[in-house]
Amino acid sequence: MNARETNAAAVRSDAGRLQGRSPWQDATAGFRRHRAAMLSAWILGAITILAILVPEFWPNDLDEVNWDYLGSPPTTENFLWFGTDVNGRDMFSRTFYGARISLTIGVLTTLVALVIGVAYGAIAGYQGGRLGELMMRVVDVLYSLPALFFVIILVTVFGNSFLLIFLCIGAVEWLTLARIVRGQTLSIREKEYVESARSLGLSTPTILLKYIIPNVIGPVIVYVTLLIPINIIVESYLSFLGLGVQEPYTSWGRLISQGADEIGTAPWLLFIPASFLVITLFCFNFIGDGLRDALDPKDRTR
Amino acid sequence: MSTPLLACEDLRVRFQTHAGTVDAVNGVGFEIHAGDCVGIVGESGSGKTQTAMALVGLLADNAVASGSVRFRQEEILNAPAERLNRIRGRRVSMVFQDPMASLTPFMRIGAQLCEVLRQHSGMTREEAKARALEVLDIVQIPEPRRRFGMYPPELSGGQRQRVMIAQALLCEPDLLIADEPTTALDLTIQAQILDFFRSLKKRTTIVIITHDLGVVAGLCDRVLVMQAGCIVERGTIEAIFNASKHPYTRTLLAALPRQDTRPQEPPQGLSSETGAGSDALLRVDDLKVHFPTRVQDGLRSRTVPLRAVDGVSFRVAEGETVGIVGESGCGKSTLSRAVLQLIGSTGGRIVWQGEDLSGLSRKAMNERRRDLSVVFQDPLSSLNPRMTIGSIIAEPLRRFHREMSRKDRDAAVLNALRDVGLDREHRDRYPHEFSGGQCQRVSIARAMILKPRLLICDEPVSSLDVSTRRQTIELLKDLQEKHGVSIIFISHDLSVVRIVCDRVLVMYLGHFVEIADRNALFESPSHPYTQALISAIPVPDLAAQRQAERIILSGELPSPTAPPSGCVFRTRCPIATDLCGEQEPEFRTLDNGARVACHHA
């Protein structure tokens, strides 16, 4: 029995229900069944809440020097649970401030990439013809430039402001998204519901926003959850190279870079932020996995 | 009685899904004896395919089968794969519905055939090749040696289905199970394949699974009718057709359009010349739609026009239903999209209410779209999966009646839902929760909500079950009577066209070959292609099936990039002469009012 018949049978079995179950609700239910993804979502939620609260309410500020605890390993005294760095600054506070910056950059850069990539890809795919071809050749050319090198040049030329960092990363990372969206759009454009929208004389922006983009968003969401950790890593590279956030503020990449210098004398400076980074990356990857399974209509029967 | 070849007792198949368990087959039992030809008939969801899958151990992972299936006294239900593999492919073979999906596209035909032989009979390479060629010859594939080295996508649908049957016949199986073997094929190709199955009956025992009683009529000796996982009636073919006892069987029989009886109501007194007046709603003059395609020509590639529609003219009058009939690839869908201005035309004129549409600006054209509606073939893919039924139906109102209040719009949507026989609760559901027939009702509701003047239906019932098909047609006719809309009804299914249309245009390779009133067309078809099409309809009536002289066209549709010279039909025409190759036939009006493009009709 194929998925559609099973679905039809399911519809008959609860005919009393009034509200429809949208494809989104189906996907949510599917996601909830994915254990690793659900656990990752909880962990990520906890890290996010800590990243919001810790820098505000923790007794030790991120740039406050604890003269009695220079380079102290993790201890229960004085709330220095993650120890201090060589300047005596509280690593707990700094780690979660770093989380705040890294996650913000990860999410915002991805949003920038998402907006540009989806709009560009959908237009190129829907218009097709010469314009579409030209738009995709532009993407090919940009693809061939080494992206990280490109970001580094932009950051060195324009100075490293917070805003610029995510504009730069976002502006480089949209290329793959544009390709994914264009590919999906090409197949959806031929669907009969798009033809019937055209036969109503709906305007191109309406068709794009209402008929094309909602239907390409499945694979896009999956890619986005994978893009967030990529962008966190890119920011880490930049910070590692000294091109990211400036003192006294910090990010995971910067903490890892500083910790790497002290690995012989104070290994916790490297391992604590590094493990948070790794855990976060795993979480996003698992969530991406879960979403991919949940949004795949072929898996509806499970 | 001798021991049966295959005996099936109390077979049950149950699926575990996250929505609960679904019983697909509920205690089915039957026996098949050597030399039988048995048809299992039922609509989708009746469990007929799952029964067959259980017989050969190909059920999906989430299915549980119980009961007993014995092949030559040996229990094979839930048998381990090694044991099944000794039987499958060698003693029992299966032919599936979709010939494209059932052949590996990256392997040559010959290699796929030889693999089966080497797996099952340990033949040498040469022996296997010889046997494969022999079987390709049995299934009447033209030029078997050349096909041997080809890949599946290079073959046409009918040829692929023949290869599938060849694969199934390789090891001379005792039992051949064919699941909807002709459903994906065109009418004339279906007639070829069914004709071949008739000759196959002498070689092996056959089980045919189908939704179409017409298919089993000329072929099977015994029929099992399935509904909701149970066999509701069984008997000889004569008993089922002439004296069916179960109401479901009678419903299936009644749902089938019969060729031998005239439809009840006469056409609305229109001759084939109607619409000829200047007040025609739609007039199409010498319309051409060519697509540039690149073909490899030696080392260089050059652009050749694909003549999808090549100079057609017709008129549609107010309130009239015009049928356009032809096999897939004849250009009928392209024609409908050109009339809707969804694709540009290469030449000719489309005159809508006295106004040439191709000359209009995009904006002006969009205003005309209020009166032009369309219903597409695939019910599920013609509805946006991310929109609720209510907002899908309201879309034309939002587009053309922006001033309408939300309340009025909701009322209009509920009205439209009621018109097409859906409940008000359905408004907030999503398309994937509906069956094909319900989705098609939604499409019709949306197309009709603006009370258009012309409705173009592109194969609106082709993907529906027979009983749903009947209801959908009734619905279209009711709405037409109520709102007086003109309909262009595109279909490959002549029996449906006969019920719905006043006038029929027969299309072949981008040209019209015959234009006639419904009754004139069906009672005295003039063009040889029309005659072949009508004779290819599987008739659900034994007497008619046996008496009718069948015309089976040889070969397949030529490529529209290189249409034959002169008359396009001459390559498959039984009465073609030299004249047909030299001169393109003009339309002539015959005594019964039909207009035909043929030198000899």
Side-chain angles (χ1 to χ4, degrees):
Chain A
M1 182 177 279
N2 63 32
R4 208 163 112 194
E5 285 174 39
T6 320
N7 260 352
V11 170
R12 281 196 293 279
S13 71
D14 55 5
R17 200 186 59 209
L18 289 187
Q19 268 297 318
R21 232 160 69 116
S22 74
W24 293 118
Q25 287 162 316
D26 262 358
T28 322
F31 187 77
R32 280 176 206 276
R33 277 196 301 277
H34 200 289
R35 287 213 187 143
M38 278 309 279
L39 184 66
S40 300
W42 284 112
I43 294 176
L44 206 57
I47 293 178
T48 312
I49 290 171
L50 285 171
I52 294 167
L53 296 181
V54 167
E56 304 296 329
F57 300 110
W58 198 245
N60 306 314
D61 277 347
L62 82 155
D63 53 349
E64 182 186 326
V65 179
N66 294 280
W67 293 104
D68 302 334
Y69 297 94
L70 293 180
S72 158
T75 163
T76 49
E77 293 165 38
N78 228 345
F79 296 104
L80 299 172
W81 295 353
F82 288 178
T84 59
D85 66 6
V86 286
N87 296 321
R89 292 178 295 187
D90 177 13
M91 277 301 286
F92 193 83
S93 195
R94 290 182 75 73
T95 302
F96 285 106
Y97 190 84
R100 186 190 266 193
I101 298 291
S102 287
L103 286 175
T104 311
I105 289 186
V107 171
L108 285 183
T109 48
T110 306
L111 275 182
V112 172
L114 182 71
V115 170
I116 304 178
V118 169
Y120 196 92
I123 292 171
Y126 184 70
Q127 288 296 332
R130 270 164 207 247
L131 178 69
E133 281 299 307
L134 185 72
M135 287 174 81
M136 292 324 284
R137 292 298 82 76
V138 170
V139 168
D140 292 345
V141 169
L142 291 178
Y143 238 119
S144 62
L145 301 173
L148 194 61
F149 187 67
F150 193 57
V151 173
I152 292 170
I153 291 175
L154 283 176
V155 172
T156 32
V157 171
F158 293 106
N160 45 359
S161 77
F162 189 77
L163 187 76
L164 189 70
I165 291 171
F166 62 70
L167 274 181
C168 285
I169 301 178
V172 167
E173 297 288 350
W174 62 270
L175 299 169
T176 314
L177 261 172
R179 281 193 175 168
I180 294 175
V181 172
R182 173 180 171 266
Q184 294 284 321
T185 307
L186 283 179
S187 74
I188 286 175
R189 187 178 65 170
E190 304 301 325
K191 286 263 159 69
E192 290 175 338
Y193 58 82
V194 175
E195 277 201 300
S196 72
R198 288 175 58 212
S199 79
L200 277 178
L202 294 180
S203 67
T204 307
T206 313
I207 292 178
L208 281 175
L209 287 174
K210 218 163 158 179
Y211 288 80
I212 306 269
I213 291 178
N215 287 299
V216 302
I217 220 73
V220 168
I221 286 182
V222 175
Y223 182 71
V224 158
T225 55
L226 301 176
L227 191 59
I228 294 176
I230 291 173
N231 287 346
I232 292 178
I233 292 174
V234 171
E235 189 280 331
S236 301
Y237 287 145
L238 289 177
S239 294
F240 191 90
L241 297 168
L243 293 167
V245 221
Q246 294 301 295
E247 288 289 354
Y249 304 113
T250 192
S251 73
W252 281 342
R254 205 170 168 84
L255 286 173
I256 291 167
S257 143
Q258 288 165 344
D261 295 340
E262 310 291 339
I263 189 164
T265 52
W268 64 91
L269 293 184
L270 171 64
F271 288 122
I272 290 176
S275 24
F276 271 97
L277 177 65
V278 169
I279 289 172
T280 307
L281 303 189
F282 271 131
C283 285
F284 274 116
N285 276 302
F286 279 127
I287 291 174
D289 254 11
L291 285 173
R292 192 191 56 214
D293 291 351
L295 292 169
D296 186 351
K298 279 177 241 142
D299 280 358
R300 282 280 158 73
T301 42
R302 286 180 318 154
Chain B
M1 212 175 196
S2 61
T3 50
L5 184 67
L6 184 91
C8 172
E9 267 170 47
D10 195 31
L11 179 68
R12 288 168 193 278
V13 179
R14 167 172 288 189
F15 283 86
Q16 304 286 345
T17 73
H18 71 247
T21 58
V22 177
D23 292 313
V25 181
N26 290 320
V28 162
F30 55 86
E31 289 182 349
I32 291 164
H33 293 267
D36 271 357
C37 181
V38 178
I40 302 182
V41 181
E43 292 183 277
S44 58
S46 63
K48 56 190 193 308
T49 297
Q50 296 311 324
T51 303
M53 289 301 201
L55 295 185
V56 291
L58 289 175
L59 288 169
D61 291 339
N62 61 343
V64 183
S66 64
S68 155
V69 175
R70 273 170 296 130
F71 180 74
R72 292 197 188 286
Q73 311 287 60
E74 185 187 0
E75 179 62 45
I76 55 168
L77 188 68
N78 299 324
E82 313 90 82
R83 214 165 86 215
L84 279 174
N85 282 344
R86 267 189 304 134
I87 296 173
R88 284 195 297 231
R90 187 148 140 204
R91 315 285 294 281
V92 180
S93 284
M94 196 139 179
V95 177
F96 297 95
Q97 171 170 1
D98 186 348
M100 190 62 224
S102 323
L103 289 168
T104 315
F106 293 107
M107 259 173 96
R108 291 177 197 277
I109 303 293
Q112 295 195 38
L113 293 177
C114 290
E115 192 187 31
V116 178
L117 283 171
R118 288 156 61 108
Q119 171 86 28
H120 284 297
S121 52
M123 287 184 178
T124 64
R125 196 175 289 267
E126 286 72 32
E127 283 167 351
K129 185 172 179 187
R131 171 71 185 150
L133 283 172
E134 186 188 328
V135 176
L136 283 177
D137 205 46
I138 293 175
V139 296
Q140 301 157 11
I141 277 198
E143 306 177 77
R145 276 189 186 279
R146 201 161 74 82
R147 309 280 176 224
F148 194 80
M150 285 168 92
Y151 290 93
E154 296 179 79
L155 301 184
S156 68
Q159 286 173 345
R160 280 199 290 260
Q161 194 57 283
R162 283 174 194 271
V163 171
M164 280 300 298
I165 298 171
Q167 196 168 32
L169 290 179
L170 278 174
C171 298
E172 299 191 333
D174 303 326
L175 177 63
L176 178 70
I177 301 176
D179 186 4
E180 302 272 11
T182 58
T183 308
L185 303 175
D186 268 323
L187 209 52
T188 57
I189 308 295
Q190 165 169 308
Q192 286 174 8
I193 298 279
L194 285 181
D195 193 51
F196 168 66
F197 264 109
R198 269 187 285 278
S199 68
L200 204 63
K201 276 164 73 175
K202 291 190 258 344
R203 287 175 176 272
T204 180
T205 311
I206 303 177
V207 174
I208 298 237
I209 297 164
T210 180
H211 68 277
D212 189 348
L213 270 171
V215 165
V216 297
L219 188 57
C220 298
D221 313 318
R222 287 196 299 133
V223 181
L224 309 173
V225 181
M226 281 189 77
Q227 182 194 21
C230 301
I231 294 182
V232 294
E233 185 163 7
R234 64 182 82 203
T236 61
I237 186 116
E238 288 83 6
I240 293 283
F241 276 93
N242 300 333
S244 63
K245 294 186 182 66
H246 196 276
Y248 180 69
T249 315
R250 288 204 287 268
T251 321
L252 280 183
L253 282 168
L256 277 165
R258 297 172 82 95
Q259 297 309 310
D260 44 340
T261 49
R262 225 181 147 120
Q264 297 302 310
E265 66 278 56
Q268 302 161 357
L270 298 161
S271 81
S272 60
E273 287 298 324
T274 41
S278 56
D279 58 338
L281 189 65
L282 175 78
R283 204 176 82 225
V284 173
D285 287 333
D286 197 29
L287 180 71
K288 287 183 179 148
V289 183
H290 296 177
F291 299 110
T293 47
R294 301 198 75 79
V295 293
Q296 210 63 36
D297 179 21
L299 289 173
R300 302 225 312 267
S301 74
R302 66 199 160 89
T303 310
V304 172
L306 184 154
R307 301 165 191 274
V309 177
D310 203 16
V312 302
S313 309
F314 66 99
R315 283 141 206 260
V316 181
E318 198 86 42
E320 188 188 24
T321 305
V322 172
I324 300 180
V325 172
E327 294 177 278
S328 54
C330 74
K332 54 194 194 299
S333 289
T334 307
L335 174 61
S336 71
R337 279 156 179 79
V339 170
L340 286 167
Q341 296 283 305
L342 292 178
I343 45 182
S345 48
T346 315
R349 297 201 314 151
I350 300 162
V351 182
W352 169 249
Q353 298 186 36
E355 185 180 30
D356 190 352
L357 286 186
S358 38
L360 289 179
S361 73
R362 194 182 152 137
K363 196 162 166 238
M365 180 59 217
N366 280 345
E367 280 312 306
R368 309 292 183 277
R369 294 191 186 280
R370 180 196 299 248
D371 290 328
L372 283 161
S373 264
V374 60
V375 174
F376 289 109
Q377 171 175 11
D378 185 347
L380 205 60
S381 93
S382 47
L383 305 176
N384 185 349
R386 302 280 187 215
M387 281 164 76
T388 62
I389 298 305
S391 71
I392 287 171
I393 297 177
E395 191 79 343
L397 294 174
R398 279 197 295 271
R399 165 73 180 81
F400 288 107
H401 296 285
R402 280 166 218 257
E403 74 294 341
M404 206 174 199
S405 75
R406 203 189 167 79
K407 217 173 117 223
D408 291 350
R409 206 159 60 209
D410 285 351
V413 168
L414 289 179
N415 222 345
L417 277 172
R418 208 187 48 227
D419 268 359
V420 297
L422 292 172
D423 295 335
R424 56 188 302 145
E425 288 91 86
H426 290 137
R427 189 176 50 168
D428 297 319
R429 300 238 188 128
Y430 289 84
H432 73 272
E433 300 176 75
F434 290 92
S435 67
Q438 285 172 319
C439 284
Q440 207 58 301
R441 281 164 189 270
V442 174
S443 288
I444 294 171
R446 200 242 326 247
M448 289 301 294
I449 199 164
L450 291 173
K451 312 269 182 294
R453 305 190 62 183
L454 178 66
L455 177 66
I456 298 183
C457 299
D458 188 1
E459 304 261 13
V461 296
S462 304
S463 51
L464 303 180
D465 271 326
V466 271
S467 58
T468 330
R469 192 178 287 186
R470 186 63 175 237
Q471 292 160 7
T472 311
I473 291 171
E474 295 298 335
L475 173 67
L476 275 173
K477 286 175 78 174
D478 286 351
L479 288 174
Q480 181 179 30
E481 213 160 283
K482 202 163 153 193
H483 302 298
V485 60
S486 303
I487 297 182
I488 296 182
F489 193 96
I490 295 169
S491 181
H492 68 275
D493 188 345
L494 279 163
S495 46
V496 173
V497 166
R498 174 158 201 192
I499 307 176
V500 182
C501 302
D502 305 321
R503 216 150 49 90
V504 185
L505 318 174
V506 182
M507 197 164 179
Y508 184 83
L509 208 68
H511 295 261
F512 286 146
V513 295
E514 181 162 358
I515 300 178
D517 273 358
R518 174 206 12 212
N519 286 337
L521 189 89
F522 283 93
E523 276 153 24
S524 53
S526 316
H527 196 280
Y529 181 61
T530 319
Q531 288 165 356
L533 272 184
I534 289 176
S535 114
I537 302 172
V539 188
D541 183 83
L542 294 174
Q545 185 88 16
R546 287 187 181 147
Q547 281 164 17
E549 190 186 328
R550 299 183 73 82
I551 306 169
I552 293 173
L553 289 181
S554 59
E556 313 204 350
L557 206 64
S559 163
T561 50
S565 64
C567 172
V568 283
F569 184 60
R570 74 180 159 86
T571 51
R572 296 174 74 192
C573 184
I575 56 170
T577 55
D578 289 345
L579 174 68
C580 303
E582 289 154 15
Q583 202 180 344
E584 194 178 337
E586 296 282 321
F587 268 103
R588 287 186 296 126
T589 306
L590 302 181
D591 296 341
N592 62 358
R595 298 177 63 227
V596 177
C598 179
H599 294 302
H600 305 292

Coordinates of all heavy atoms in Angstrom, one line a residue, chain B residues 403-431:
Chain B
E403 N -12.4 43.7 -4.0 CA -13.3 44.5 -3.1 C -14.1 43.6 -2.3 O -14.8 44.1 -1.3 CB -14.1 45.5 -4.0 CG -15.3 44.9 -4.7 CD -14.9 43.9 -5.9 OE1 -13.7 43.9 -6.3 OE2 -15.7 43.1 -6.3
M404 N -14.2 42.4 -2.6 CA -15.1 41.5 -1.9 C -14.7 41.3 -0.4 O -13.6 41.2 -0.1 CB -15.0 40.1 -2.5 CG -16.3 39.2 -2.4 SD -16.0 37.7 -3.3 CE -17.6 37.2 -3.5
S405 N -15.7 41.4 0.5 CA -15.4 41.2 1.9 C -15.1 39.8 2.2 O -15.5 38.9 1.5 CB -16.6 41.7 2.8 OG -17.6 40.7 2.7
R406 N -14.4 39.6 3.4 CA -14.0 38.3 3.8 C -15.2 37.4 4.0 O -15.2 36.2 3.6 CB -13.2 38.4 5.1 CG -12.4 37.3 5.4 CD -11.8 37.4 6.8 NE -11.2 36.1 7.1 CZ -10.0 35.8 6.7 NH1 -9.3 36.6 6.0 NH2 -9.5 34.6 7.0
K407 N -16.3 38.0 4.5 CA -17.5 37.2 4.8 C -18.1 36.7 3.5 O -18.5 35.6 3.4 CB -18.5 38.1 5.6 CG -19.2 37.4 6.6 CD -20.1 38.4 7.5 CE -21.5 38.1 7.3 NZ -22.4 39.2 7.1
D408 N -18.2 37.6 2.5 CA -18.8 37.2 1.2 C -18.0 36.1 0.6 O -18.5 35.2 0.0 CB -18.9 38.4 0.3 CG -19.9 39.5 0.8 OD1 -20.7 39.1 1.7 OD2 -20.0 40.6 0.2
R409 N -16.7 36.3 0.7 CA -15.8 35.3 0.1 C -16.0 34.0 0.7 O -16.1 33.0 0.0 CB -14.4 35.8 0.2 CG -13.5 35.3 -0.9 CD -12.3 36.1 -1.0 NE -11.5 36.1 0.2 CZ -10.7 37.1 0.6 NH1 -10.6 38.2 -0.1 NH2 -10.1 37.0 1.7
D410 N -16.0 33.9 2.1 CA -16.3 32.7 2.7 C -17.6 32.0 2.3 O -17.6 30.8 2.1 CB -16.3 32.9 4.3 CG -14.9 33.1 4.8 OD1 -13.9 32.9 4.0 OD2 -14.7 33.4 6.0
A411 N -18.6 32.9 2.2 CA -19.9 32.4 1.8 C -19.8 31.8 0.4 O -20.3 30.7 0.1 CB -20.9 33.5 1.8
A412 N -19.1 32.5 -0.5 CA -19.0 32.0 -1.9 C -18.2 30.6 -1.9 O -18.6 29.7 -2.7 CB -18.3 33.0 -2.7
V413 N -17.2 30.5 -1.1 CA -16.4 29.3 -1.0 C -17.3 28.1 -0.5 O -17.3 27.0 -1.1 CB -15.2 29.4 -0.1 CG1 -14.5 28.1 0.2 CG2 -14.2 30.4 -0.8
L414 N -18.1 28.4 0.5 CA -19.0 27.3 1.0 C -20.0 26.9 0.0 O -20.3 25.7 -0.2 CB -19.7 27.8 2.3 CG -18.8 27.9 3.5 CD1 -19.6 28.4 4.7 CD2 -18.1 26.6 3.8
N415 N -20.5 27.9 -0.7 CA -21.4 27.6 -1.8 C -20.8 26.7 -2.9 O -21.4 25.8 -3.3 CB -21.7 29.0 -2.5 CG -23.2 29.0 -2.8 OD1 -23.9 28.0 -2.8 ND2 -23.7 30.2 -3.1
A416 N -19.5 27.1 -3.2 CA -18.8 26.3 -4.3 C -18.5 24.9 -3.8 O -18.7 23.9 -4.6 CB -17.5 27.0 -4.6
L417 N -18.2 24.8 -2.5 CA -18.0 23.4 -2.0 C -19.2 22.6 -2.1 O -19.2 21.4 -2.4 CB -17.5 23.5 -0.5 CG -16.1 23.8 -0.2 CD1 -15.8 24.1 1.3 CD2 -15.2 22.7 -0.6
R418 N -20.3 23.2 -1.7 CA -21.6 22.5 -1.8 C -21.9 22.1 -3.2 O -22.4 21.0 -3.5 CB -22.7 23.4 -1.2 CG -23.8 22.5 -0.6 CD -25.0 23.4 -0.1 NE -25.4 24.3 -1.2 CZ -25.6 25.6 -1.0 NH1 -25.5 26.1 0.2 NH2 -26.0 26.4 -2.0
D419 N -21.7 23.0 -4.1 CA -21.9 22.8 -5.5 C -21.2 21.5 -6.0 O -21.8 20.8 -6.9 CB -21.5 23.9 -6.4 CG -22.6 24.9 -6.6 OD1 -23.7 24.7 -6.1 OD2 -22.4 25.9 -7.3
V420 N -20.0 21.3 -5.6 CA -19.3 20.1 -6.1 C -19.4 18.9 -5.1 O -18.7 17.9 -5.2 CB -17.8 20.4 -6.3 CG1 -17.6 21.5 -7.3 CG2 -17.1 20.9 -5.0
G421 N -20.3 19.0 -4.1 CA -20.5 17.9 -3.3 C -19.5 17.6 -2.2 O -19.3 16.5 -1.8
L422 N -18.9 18.7 -1.7 CA -18.0 18.5 -0.6 C -18.6 19.2 0.7 O -19.5 20.1 0.6 CB -16.6 19.2 -0.9 CG -15.8 18.5 -1.9 CD1 -14.5 19.3 -2.3 CD2 -15.3 17.1 -1.5
D423 N -18.1 18.8 1.9 CA -18.7 19.4 3.1 C -18.0 20.7 3.5 O -16.8 20.9 3.1 CB -18.5 18.4 4.3 CG -19.3 17.1 4.0 OD1 -20.3 17.2 3.3 OD2 -18.9 16.1 4.5
R424 N -18.7 21.4 4.3 CA -18.0 22.7 4.7 C -16.8 22.5 5.6 O -15.9 23.3 5.6 CB -19.0 23.6 5.4 CG -19.7 23.0 6.6 CD -20.8 23.9 7.1 NE -20.3 25.2 7.5 CZ -21.0 26.3 7.3 NH1 -22.2 26.3 6.8 NH2 -20.5 27.5 7.7
E425 N -16.8 21.3 6.3 CA -15.6 21.0 7.1 C -14.3 20.9 6.3 O -13.2 21.1 6.8 CB -15.7 19.7 7.9 CG -16.6 19.6 9.0 CD -18.0 19.1 8.5 OE1 -18.2 18.0 8.4 OE2 -18.8 20.0 8.2
H426 N -14.5 20.5 5.0 CA -13.3 20.3 4.2 C -12.5 21.5 4.0 O -11.4 21.5 3.5 CB -13.8 19.7 2.8 CG -14.3 18.3 3.0 ND1 -15.4 17.9 2.3 CD2 -13.8 17.2 3.7 CE1 -15.6 16.6 2.6 NE2 -14.7 16.2 3.5
R427 N -13.1 22.7 4.2 CA -12.5 23.9 3.9 C -11.1 24.1 4.5 O -10.2 24.7 3.9 CB -13.4 25.1 4.3 CG -13.0 26.4 3.9 CD -14.0 27.4 4.3 NE -14.3 27.3 5.7 CZ -15.0 28.2 6.4 NH1 -15.4 29.3 5.8 NH2 -15.3 28.1 7.6
D428 N -11.0 23.6 5.7 CA -9.7 23.9 6.4 C -8.7 22.8 6.3 O -7.7 22.8 7.0 CB -10.0 24.2 7.9 CG -10.8 25.4 8.1 OD1 -10.6 26.4 7.4 OD2 -11.8 25.4 8.9
R429 N -9.0 21.8 5.5 CA -8.0 20.7 5.3 C -7.1 21.0 4.2 O -7.3 21.9 3.4 CB -8.8 19.4 5.0 CG -9.8 19.1 6.1 CD -9.5 17.7 6.6 NE -10.5 17.3 7.5 CZ -11.2 16.1 7.4 NH1 -10.9 15.4 6.3 NH2 -12.1 15.8 8.2
Y430 N -6.1 20.1 4.1 CA -5.1 20.3 3.0 C -5.2 19.2 2.0 O -5.7 18.1 2.3 CB -3.7 20.2 3.7 CG -3.4 21.5 4.5 CD1 -3.8 21.6 5.8 CD2 -2.7 22.6 3.9 CE1 -3.6 22.7 6.5 CE2 -2.5 23.7 4.7 CZ -2.9 23.8 6.0 OH -2.7 24.9 6.7
P431 N -4.7 19.5 0.7 CA -5.0 18.6 -0.4 C -4.6 17.1 -0.1 O -5.3 16.2 -0.5 CB -4.2 19.2 -1.5 CG -4.1 20.6 -1.2 CD -4.1 20.8 0.3

